[in-house]
Amino acid sequence: MKNLNYRLGLFFLFTGILSLGKAQAQNLVTNGTFTAGNASWTFFAPATTAEVMAENVYGGTTTNLTAEIDNGSNFRQVNIAVTPGETYNLSFKCTRRTAGGAGFSLPPIPCTINAKVYNGTAVFLNQNVSSSNTVFNLQCQNYQFTPTTATVTLDLANVNNPSTLGMIMDDITITPVNQVINFSGQACVGGDFTLTAPASTAPNAVYTNYQWTGPNGFTATGQTATVTNAPVAAAGTYTCTMTLNGCVQVTGQFAITLSTTATNDIAYICQGDSINIFGQFVHNAGIFDSTFQNINGCDSVSTITVNVMPSPGKILAPDSLIVCQYDTVRLETSTNPINPNFSYSWTPSTGLNSTTAPNVWFIADQSRNYTLRVAAPDPNLTCWMEHTIHVIVNPGDFLKLNLNEAAICPGNSVQLQATGAQQYNWSPALYVDNTSSATPLITPTTSGTYTVIGTSDKGCTDTQQVQITVHPAAVLSIPDVVNIYSGEQYFMEPATNAVHFTWFPDAGLNSAHVSNPVMSPEVNTRYFVVATTENGCTVSDSVDILVMNTAIDMPNAFVPGNGNFKVVKRGIAALNAFKIFNRWGEEIFSTTDIEHGWDGTWQGKPQAAGVYVYQIDARTAEGKPFKKQGTVTLLR
C-alpha cells in the first residue's frame, strides 16, 4: 500500500455557521408582560383567579399592567419549549405591594415568592425571591437553569404571605444565555456579509443597547452588523451584547472563516500512484489550475503543483511460513528496486530480535501475522509499501508421559506410556524392550534418565524425560541352622539394611516384626522372614532352630571364689540330690536346687585343698535320669 499527501487550499473551507442549532424564541413565556391580562396563565391551589392590574393600583405611578402573586394567586405556565442541555435565563421584575386594598393589610417584610422550573419530578430551578421595599419599586431578578427535557413548567407561588396582598410581577422571560446570531451574505475575502442579533418582540421581549465587537478592531451598535469588502483579517468571532427587558444582559456569538479567492497548493504522490486534480487523475508531476465558484459564492482560482516522490516497487518475501513451535525462524526479505535509504518496520514486535532490519528472526511460540513496512522517507511525503507474512506455528508441546519419575528395586520393571505423537524414539536403548514403542518396558539395573523424542503428524518434535531411580537391593544375612537346648533362647542378630520385618511363624518369638527377635521354640522350628528396606525393596530367608535334648555334666576341679562347684547343664533339668563328702566320708554339702553349688566351705570354714567325693541324682526335661558319683579337686 502507498501513501498520498494532497494539500489543498482554503477554497474547500466553508465558514459561516448559519444556525447555531439553539431555540429561536427570545421570549418563551407567553404573555409575560400581562398585556393580555392573565391569558396563557393557569393557576394552582389555593389560587382560583389571577389578579392583573395597572401598577398604580399596587402603589406604582403608571398604568402598565402587572400581576400580583398573593395568597390566593399562584401562577403557572406549562409546555414552555426549551432545548435540553442548553442554559437559560429566567428574568423578571418584582416588587412588594406598597398600596393596600380596602380591608386588607400590606404584605409582611420581607415578602417572598418561589420561582420553580421543572418537568415532572425533575426540578431545574427552585428559587425563593424576597422583596423588602416600602416604596413601589420594580427590580430586576435573573436566575439560570439547564433543562434536560424539551419542555418545562414555570410556577410562581406565594411562600410566606398570610394576607391576600403580595408580590407584584412583570416582564417574565425565559431566554437562552447564548443568543442566536443570524448570518447573511458571502463569507469570502472581498465579500459583504451581515450579522443580525435577536429583534425586540414588544411588549414581551425588548432588546436595547446592542454592542458589537469583532476581529481586526471591529465595533458596531444596533441590531445588525455589516462588513463590506471583507479583508482576510475580518475572519474570526463576532460578539453582540444586548440588554433584555431592561433587566438582563445577554450575549450571542458567530464565527466567520473567509474563503480566499486564490490558492496555491502542493500535492505529493508516491511513484506509481495517481491523484484526482479537478476531476482528472494525474500520475506525473506538473502544475494544474482551475477557476470555480466555491460554496460561499466566491470565485476562486486554484493552482496545484503535483510532485512525485520515490517509492519501493515490490517487497520480495514469502506469503506464509509453516514452522514448529520453539523453532528459530528467519524472516528474509528484499525490495525491488534496492534503495539503501529505505527504512524497515516490522509489526508486531513480539519475539523479533529487531524491528528495523529487512531480515529478522524469532523463536516461534504461536501463529501470528508479521507485517513489514518498507518506506522511502522524504521531508514532504513518506512513500511506503507493506507485505504480510502469515507464520503458522504447529504445536511443539504435544508429548505427554504417564510418569515424570519412578523408583524401583533391582530386578523390577517400569511400564512407561507416551501419548500425543505419531512416532517415538527412546534413549538410551539399554534396558528398554522396544525403543520405538509408545509403551516400552524398562528394566534398569542402575538409576538414570530416559528420554523420548516424539514426532507429530506435522513433523514437529517434542521431548520428555523420566528419571528412574533404582534403589539398593534388600540385604539380609542370618544363619541357616541354630542349635539350642530346651529352655534356652537364641538372640537373632541379622546383617541387613532393611527396616521392616515379618517373621513366620510367630510361636516362640518375643516379636514377629523386629529384626532381632528372641527365639525360644519348644520344638524344632523353621522360621521364615521377609525383610523390607525403607524404599520398599524386599528379601526373604529362613533359619532352622533345632531344640537339643538336655545335657548334664560335672567339672573335675574348681577354685573357690571363682565360682561354685555345681551341676553343669544345657537345657532344663531337675535335681533330686547333690552331695559332697570329704575324705573321711563326712557329708559337708547337700542341695536339691540345681542352680545351687558348693562354695568350698563346711560349717562356715574353708576346706583344705584336696580331693572330695560327690554324688548327683537328677533328671532331664525329657524325663531321662542322670546319676553320677565322682571326685572333684578343690584348688587353693
PDB file of all heavy atoms in Angstrom, residues 482 504-505 507-508 520-528 543-547:
ATOM      1  N   VAL A 482      20.472 -73.100  63.707  1.00  0.00           N
ATOM      2  CA  VAL A 482      20.904 -72.726  65.056  1.00  0.00           C
ATOM      3  C   VAL A 482      20.458 -73.841  66.008  1.00  0.00           C
ATOM      4  O   VAL A 482      19.287 -74.265  65.979  1.00  0.00           O
ATOM      5  CB  VAL A 482      20.292 -71.383  65.488  1.00  0.00           C
ATOM      6  CG1 VAL A 482      20.635 -71.092  66.946  1.00  0.00           C
ATOM      7  CG2 VAL A 482      20.800 -70.261  64.582  1.00  0.00           C
ATOM      8  N   PHE A 504       7.668 -65.612  60.390  1.00  0.00           N
ATOM      9  CA  PHE A 504       6.588 -66.600  60.447  1.00  0.00           C
ATOM     10  C   PHE A 504       7.203 -67.985  60.653  1.00  0.00           C
ATOM     11  O   PHE A 504       8.214 -68.308  59.994  1.00  0.00           O
ATOM     12  CB  PHE A 504       5.768 -66.587  59.150  1.00  0.00           C
ATOM     13  CG  PHE A 504       4.688 -67.625  59.132  1.00  0.00           C
ATOM     14  CD1 PHE A 504       3.473 -67.398  59.772  1.00  0.00           C
ATOM     15  CD2 PHE A 504       4.900 -68.857  58.503  1.00  0.00           C
ATOM     16  CE1 PHE A 504       2.495 -68.382  59.766  1.00  0.00           C
ATOM     17  CE2 PHE A 504       3.912 -69.836  58.515  1.00  0.00           C
ATOM     18  CZ  PHE A 504       2.705 -69.592  59.137  1.00  0.00           C
ATOM     19  N   PRO A 505       6.645 -68.786  61.518  1.00  0.00           N
ATOM     20  CA  PRO A 505       5.526 -68.478  62.423  1.00  0.00           C
ATOM     21  C   PRO A 505       5.999 -67.606  63.570  1.00  0.00           C
ATOM     22  O   PRO A 505       7.202 -67.415  63.766  1.00  0.00           O
ATOM     23  CB  PRO A 505       5.087 -69.850  62.894  1.00  0.00           C
ATOM     24  CG  PRO A 505       6.357 -70.661  62.860  1.00  0.00           C
ATOM     25  CD  PRO A 505       7.127 -70.177  61.675  1.00  0.00           C
ATOM     26  N   ALA A 507       5.233 -68.289  66.780  1.00  0.00           N
ATOM     27  CA  ALA A 507       5.340 -69.082  68.008  1.00  0.00           C
ATOM     28  C   ALA A 507       6.801 -69.154  68.438  1.00  0.00           C
ATOM     29  O   ALA A 507       7.699 -69.415  67.619  1.00  0.00           O
ATOM     30  CB  ALA A 507       4.777 -70.502  67.787  1.00  0.00           C
ATOM     31  N   GLY A 508       7.055 -68.913  69.720  1.00  0.00           N
ATOM     32  CA  GLY A 508       8.407 -68.953  70.251  1.00  0.00           C
ATOM     33  C   GLY A 508       9.184 -67.684  70.020  1.00  0.00           C
ATOM     34  O   GLY A 508      10.381 -67.633  70.301  1.00  0.00           O
ATOM     35  N   SER A 520      12.773 -68.785  71.095  1.00  0.00           N
ATOM     36  CA  SER A 520      12.810 -69.842  72.117  1.00  0.00           C
ATOM     37  C   SER A 520      11.708 -70.852  71.835  1.00  0.00           C
ATOM     38  O   SER A 520      10.760 -71.008  72.615  1.00  0.00           O
ATOM     39  CB  SER A 520      12.657 -69.236  73.519  1.00  0.00           C
ATOM     40  OG  SER A 520      11.443 -68.470  73.577  1.00  0.00           O
ATOM     41  N   PRO A 521      11.779 -71.531  70.679  1.00  0.00           N
ATOM     42  CA  PRO A 521      10.748 -72.521  70.374  1.00  0.00           C
ATOM     43  C   PRO A 521      10.898 -73.747  71.283  1.00  0.00           C
ATOM     44  O   PRO A 521      11.975 -74.051  71.796  1.00  0.00           O
ATOM     45  CB  PRO A 521      11.027 -72.860  68.918  1.00  0.00           C
ATOM     46  CG  PRO A 521      12.477 -72.639  68.749  1.00  0.00           C
ATOM     47  CD  PRO A 521      12.810 -71.466  69.619  1.00  0.00           C
ATOM     48  N   GLU A 522       9.804 -74.460  71.493  1.00  0.00           N
ATOM     49  CA  GLU A 522       9.834 -75.670  72.308  1.00  0.00           C
ATOM     50  C   GLU A 522      10.243 -76.882  71.478  1.00  0.00           C
ATOM     51  O   GLU A 522      10.683 -77.895  72.025  1.00  0.00           O
ATOM     52  CB  GLU A 522       8.456 -75.893  72.931  1.00  0.00           C
ATOM     53  CG  GLU A 522       8.084 -74.807  73.927  1.00  0.00           C
ATOM     54  CD  GLU A 522       6.715 -75.047  74.543  1.00  0.00           C
ATOM     55  OE1 GLU A 522       6.050 -76.018  74.122  1.00  0.00           O
ATOM     56  OE2 GLU A 522       6.323 -74.259  75.425  1.00  0.00           O
ATOM     57  N   VAL A 523      10.033 -76.782  70.159  1.00  0.00           N
ATOM     58  CA  VAL A 523      10.392 -77.885  69.267  1.00  0.00           C
ATOM     59  C   VAL A 523      11.168 -77.305  68.100  1.00  0.00           C
ATOM     60  O   VAL A 523      11.251 -76.075  67.913  1.00  0.00           O
ATOM     61  CB  VAL A 523       9.125 -78.612  68.756  1.00  0.00           C
ATOM     62  CG1 VAL A 523       8.380 -79.281  69.913  1.00  0.00           C
ATOM     63  CG2 VAL A 523       8.223 -77.653  68.011  1.00  0.00           C
ATOM     64  N   ASN A 524      11.754 -78.214  67.313  1.00  0.00           N
ATOM     65  CA  ASN A 524      12.465 -77.763  66.129  1.00  0.00           C
ATOM     66  C   ASN A 524      11.515 -76.931  65.251  1.00  0.00           C
ATOM     67  O   ASN A 524      10.388 -77.369  64.953  1.00  0.00           O
ATOM     68  CB  ASN A 524      13.000 -78.954  65.338  1.00  0.00           C
ATOM     69  CG  ASN A 524      14.052 -79.720  66.106  1.00  0.00           C
ATOM     70  OD1 ASN A 524      14.630 -79.213  67.069  1.00  0.00           O
ATOM     71  ND2 ASN A 524      14.313 -80.951  65.699  1.00  0.00           N
ATOM     72  N   THR A 525      11.981 -75.746  64.842  1.00  0.00           N
ATOM     73  CA  THR A 525      11.104 -74.840  64.077  1.00  0.00           C
ATOM     74  C   THR A 525      11.903 -74.170  62.974  1.00  0.00           C
ATOM     75  O   THR A 525      13.042 -73.720  63.198  1.00  0.00           O
ATOM     76  CB  THR A 525      10.484 -73.755  64.985  1.00  0.00           C
ATOM     77  OG1 THR A 525       9.753 -74.397  66.037  1.00  0.00           O
ATOM     78  CG2 THR A 525       9.546 -72.866  64.182  1.00  0.00           C
ATOM     79  N   ARG A 526      11.289 -74.082  61.765  1.00  0.00           N
ATOM     80  CA  ARG A 526      11.888 -73.304  60.675  1.00  0.00           C
ATOM     81  C   ARG A 526      11.141 -71.960  60.602  1.00  0.00           C
ATOM     82  O   ARG A 526       9.932 -71.912  60.380  1.00  0.00           O
ATOM     83  CB  ARG A 526      11.780 -74.026  59.346  1.00  0.00           C
ATOM     84  CG  ARG A 526      12.261 -73.168  58.153  1.00  0.00           C
ATOM     85  CD  ARG A 526      12.382 -73.987  56.882  1.00  0.00           C
ATOM     86  NE  ARG A 526      13.475 -74.961  57.006  1.00  0.00           N
ATOM     87  CZ  ARG A 526      13.783 -75.856  56.064  1.00  0.00           C
ATOM     88  NH1 ARG A 526      13.054 -75.918  54.964  1.00  0.00           N
ATOM     89  NH2 ARG A 526      14.790 -76.691  56.244  1.00  0.00           N
ATOM     90  N   TYR A 527      11.904 -70.885  60.794  1.00  0.00           N
ATOM     91  CA  TYR A 527      11.322 -69.535  60.758  1.00  0.00           C
ATOM     92  C   TYR A 527      11.606 -68.904  59.388  1.00  0.00           C
ATOM     93  O   TYR A 527      12.748 -68.934  58.903  1.00  0.00           O
ATOM     94  CB  TYR A 527      11.912 -68.651  61.854  1.00  0.00           C
ATOM     95  CG  TYR A 527      11.420 -69.026  63.242  1.00  0.00           C
ATOM     96  CD1 TYR A 527      12.194 -69.817  64.081  1.00  0.00           C
ATOM     97  CD2 TYR A 527      10.173 -68.585  63.683  1.00  0.00           C
ATOM     98  CE1 TYR A 527      11.741 -70.160  65.344  1.00  0.00           C
ATOM     99  CE2 TYR A 527       9.713 -68.919  64.949  1.00  0.00           C
ATOM    100  CZ  TYR A 527      10.489 -69.705  65.776  1.00  0.00           C
ATOM    101  OH  TYR A 527      10.039 -70.039  67.020  1.00  0.00           O
ATOM    102  N   PHE A 528      10.588 -68.312  58.787  1.00  0.00           N
ATOM    103  CA  PHE A 528      10.713 -67.572  57.530  1.00  0.00           C
ATOM    104  C   PHE A 528      10.599 -66.076  57.831  1.00  0.00           C
ATOM    105  O   PHE A 528       9.791 -65.659  58.673  1.00  0.00           O
ATOM    106  CB  PHE A 528       9.603 -67.973  56.543  1.00  0.00           C
ATOM    107  CG  PHE A 528       9.647 -69.416  56.157  1.00  0.00           C
ATOM    108  CD1 PHE A 528       8.925 -70.364  56.880  1.00  0.00           C
ATOM    109  CD2 PHE A 528      10.419 -69.828  55.081  1.00  0.00           C
ATOM    110  CE1 PHE A 528       8.962 -71.691  56.527  1.00  0.00           C
ATOM    111  CE2 PHE A 528      10.441 -71.171  54.712  1.00  0.00           C
ATOM    112  CZ  PHE A 528       9.720 -72.108  55.440  1.00  0.00           C
ATOM    113  N   VAL A 543      15.531 -69.690  58.734  1.00  0.00           N
ATOM    114  CA  VAL A 543      16.501 -70.255  59.668  1.00  0.00           C
ATOM    115  C   VAL A 543      15.826 -71.420  60.398  1.00  0.00           C
ATOM    116  O   VAL A 543      14.650 -71.337  60.768  1.00  0.00           O
ATOM    117  CB  VAL A 543      17.023 -69.198  60.656  1.00  0.00           C
ATOM    118  CG1 VAL A 543      15.888 -68.568  61.427  1.00  0.00           C
ATOM    119  CG2 VAL A 543      18.050 -69.830  61.614  1.00  0.00           C
ATOM    120  N   ASP A 544      16.603 -72.508  60.587  1.00  0.00           N
ATOM    121  CA  ASP A 544      16.099 -73.662  61.335  1.00  0.00           C
ATOM    122  C   ASP A 544      16.626 -73.580  62.759  1.00  0.00           C
ATOM    123  O   ASP A 544      17.852 -73.549  62.986  1.00  0.00           O
ATOM    124  CB  ASP A 544      16.545 -74.973  60.700  1.00  0.00           C
ATOM    125  CG  ASP A 544      15.844 -75.229  59.365  1.00  0.00           C
ATOM    126  OD1 ASP A 544      14.688 -74.774  59.221  1.00  0.00           O
ATOM    127  OD2 ASP A 544      16.462 -75.851  58.475  1.00  0.00           O
ATOM    128  N   ILE A 545      15.736 -73.534  63.727  1.00  0.00           N
ATOM    129  CA  ILE A 545      16.107 -73.558  65.144  1.00  0.00           C
ATOM    130  C   ILE A 545      15.848 -74.987  65.632  1.00  0.00           C
ATOM    131  O   ILE A 545      14.688 -75.450  65.680  1.00  0.00           O
ATOM    132  CB  ILE A 545      15.286 -72.546  65.954  1.00  0.00           C
ATOM    133  CG1 ILE A 545      15.441 -71.135  65.353  1.00  0.00           C
ATOM    134  CG2 ILE A 545      15.713 -72.563  67.415  1.00  0.00           C
ATOM    135  CD1 ILE A 545      16.839 -70.607  65.400  1.00  0.00           C
ATOM    136  N   LEU A 546      16.961 -75.695  65.954  1.00  0.00           N
ATOM    137  CA  LEU A 546      16.866 -77.091  66.388  1.00  0.00           C
ATOM    138  C   LEU A 546      17.003 -77.154  67.905  1.00  0.00           C
ATOM    139  O   LEU A 546      17.986 -76.640  68.484  1.00  0.00           O
ATOM    140  CB  LEU A 546      17.968 -77.933  65.723  1.00  0.00           C
ATOM    141  CG  LEU A 546      17.973 -77.918  64.176  1.00  0.00           C
ATOM    142  CD1 LEU A 546      19.091 -78.818  63.651  1.00  0.00           C
ATOM    143  CD2 LEU A 546      16.624 -78.351  63.618  1.00  0.00           C
ATOM    144  N   VAL A 547      15.987 -77.716  68.567  1.00  0.00           N
ATOM    145  CA  VAL A 547      15.974 -77.792  70.031  1.00  0.00           C
ATOM    146  C   VAL A 547      16.611 -79.135  70.449  1.00  0.00           C
ATOM    147  O   VAL A 547      16.083 -80.223  70.144  1.00  0.00           O
ATOM    148  CB  VAL A 547      14.538 -77.679  70.565  1.00  0.00           C
ATOM    149  CG1 VAL A 547      14.549 -77.744  72.097  1.00  0.00           C
ATOM    150  CG2 VAL A 547      13.903 -76.387  70.070  1.00  0.00           C
TER     151      VAL A 547
END
